[in-house]
Amino acid sequence: RNLVRLAVERGEVARLLELADRWDPGRQTPAAFVLLAEALSERGHEPRAAALLRDGWQRYPGDFWINYH
């Protein structure tokens, strides 16, 4: 999650996409899924953001924020 925050602060879209490609859903919190998905969506990568949220929903089907987004 810290790597995502750092990439967002620096405006590193390529790094965000790289993190999404290497994403390990089993090691992420619901908040991390939402953080990366929002960052990608805000930068025009909605399909990749939606895919991340679907993965997050499968792992955390009851999480409010994953379901909200």
Side-chain angles (χ1 to χ4, degrees), residues 36-60:
L36 183 53
E38 282 183 340
L40 289 170
S41 180
E42 289 170 359
R43 286 154 182 84
H45 296 278
E46 290 88 0
R48 189 63 184 107
L52 270 174
L53 289 173
R54 278 191 300 277
D55 289 345
W57 179 79
Q58 289 175 345
R59 290 200 69 74
Y60 304 102

Side-chain angles (χ1 to χ4, degrees), residues 14-27:
R15 179 73 172 134
L16 291 169
L17 291 168
E18 178 186 331
L19 289 169
D21 289 341
R22 298 183 323 151
W23 199 249
D24 181 1
R27 298 184 60 184

